[in-house]
Amino acid sequence: MAPWDRLPVPPIRLPRPKGLPWPAGLPRPRGLAPYTVERDLPVTMPDGVVLLADRYVPAGVERPPTILVRTPYGRRGPAALANGLLFVPFGFQLVVQSARGTSGSGGEFDPLGSERADGLATVEWLKRQPWFHGSFATFGPSYLGYAAWAIAAEAGPELKAMSLQITASTFRDAAYVGGSFALESTLTWTDLTHRQQRRLGMLTAPLTSRRRVQRAARSGRPLAELDVVAGGEPMRFYQDLLAATGPPTATGTPATSAAPSARSPRPPPSSAAGTTSSCPG
């Protein structure tokens, strides 16, 4: 569990809006916006692994709609704000789940690899809860957005909206920007996620990963060995990415494997919007 997951969730202070109409039926926050938190809700996956989630509930709102966020970066402390905590005073209940193998959730963290199956199982769990009132939305940037895209096509009619930023629905397009392998950003992100569950990993990795990757890239070693050069051991995600895309073709662009990849979810519905980046964050 990341150290900041032991921190309390910050209270929210919102200024009273001026000159803007307030949505009908929602309470108008004044000063401290109250909410309650249920921590470490267990969500059992089909393979028996238990993932943990926190639920934030606004005070004084009957039948609040739900926002679902799935993240590998922690649920509490500073991460709570990035996970959508600011929606809660506006009448939404927020469910934030830690991805497999992160922040107390069971299993092994396989970056991007488990988000479709685990996400859909979480949606089915969500629909069975007595406090779920028939509709939900997804939210988040980068990796959080990818986790939302991974379930979009199969989440059912209860999924009403998606607010995703700086993200992509398939990682291959992000790793091969314009047809060229984005080595620095891809391997840097792989190293960051590989180290984040270590003690103080989320604090030290951002300061050192890029420098390690740049040193590896200048080493002259084969592409398939650079994860070991940068991080001291093979990194499953990096090796899977190289294997799934295949060697470059005669034109210099990578040949995509014919086998479907767990990291490439089905095409999502066109009603949701998002933007792309070179790698998840």
Side-chain angles (χ1 to χ4, degrees):
M1 180 175 294
W4 44 86
D5 268 352
R6 300 184 177 92
L7 299 175
V9 176
I12 303 175
R13 295 187 178 275
L14 294 176
R16 183 172 179 174
K18 297 179 180 180
L20 294 176
W22 195 258
L26 295 183
R28 186 185 298 271
R30 298 173 183 271
L32 184 64
Y35 58 89
T36 58
V37 185
E38 297 179 49
R39 302 194 188 280
D40 298 331
L41 297 177
V43 185
T44 303
M45 299 293 102
D47 62 356
V49 170
V50 176
L51 309 187
L52 299 182
D54 293 345
R55 174 182 173 233
Y56 302 84
V57 186
V61 181
E62 295 185 7
R63 301 179 62 83
T66 303
I67 297 175
L68 174 64
V69 174
R70 303 190 63 255
T71 175
Y73 301 132
R75 305 190 303 278
R76 301 171 194 161
L81 296 176
N83 292 340
L85 183 59
L86 292 176
F87 288 113
V88 177
F90 292 90
F92 295 91
Q93 65 177 340
L94 175 67
V95 177
V96 180
Q97 182 185 69
S98 289
R100 178 179 293 246
T102 69
S103 301
S105 287
E108 177 186 356
F109 181 48
D110 177 18
L112 310 180
S114 303
E115 303 314 334
R116 175 181 170 273
D118 288 352
L120 291 174
T122 299
V123 169
E124 292 306 310
W125 168 86
L126 183 69
K127 295 175 183 178
R128 296 193 299 269
Q129 302 312 301
W131 39 261
F132 178 70
H133 303 299
S135 65
F136 75 99
T138 54
F139 166 80
S142 205
Y143 193 105
L144 284 63
Y146 176 90
W149 278 126
I151 66 171
E154 301 168 85
E158 293 84 358
L159 177 59
K160 302 297 185 182
M162 302 173 69
S163 176
L164 314 177
Q165 313 86 37
I166 321 174
T167 190
S169 59
T170 62
F171 188 83
R172 185 187 179 282
D173 293 338
Y176 285 89
V177 180
S180 298
F181 184 48
L183 172 62
E184 181 178 351
S185 59
T186 301
L187 186 53
T188 297
W189 182 80
T190 304
D191 187 66
L192 282 168
T193 56
H194 187 72
R195 295 173 178 274
Q196 69 176 10
Q197 294 304 307
R198 299 179 183 179
R199 182 174 177 82
L200 301 179
M202 283 294 284
L203 298 178
T204 60
L207 302 176
T208 61
S209 287
R210 185 176 182 184
R211 185 167 63 249
R212 284 195 298 267
V213 167
Q214 290 175 336
R215 184 168 60 245
R218 293 193 295 264
S219 69
R221 300 281 291 276
L223 191 65
E225 298 179 6
L226 295 186
D227 54 341
V228 178
V229 177
E233 58 184 336
M235 300 180 192
R236 176 182 172 184
F237 174 75
Y238 181 77
Q239 293 297 326
D240 285 353
L241 184 64
L242 294 181
T245 52
T249 64
T251 62
T253 58
T256 304
S257 170
S261 171
R263 308 182 200 285
S264 298
R266 296 183 186 180
S270 59
S271 58
T275 55
T276 60
S277 66
S278 61
C279 64

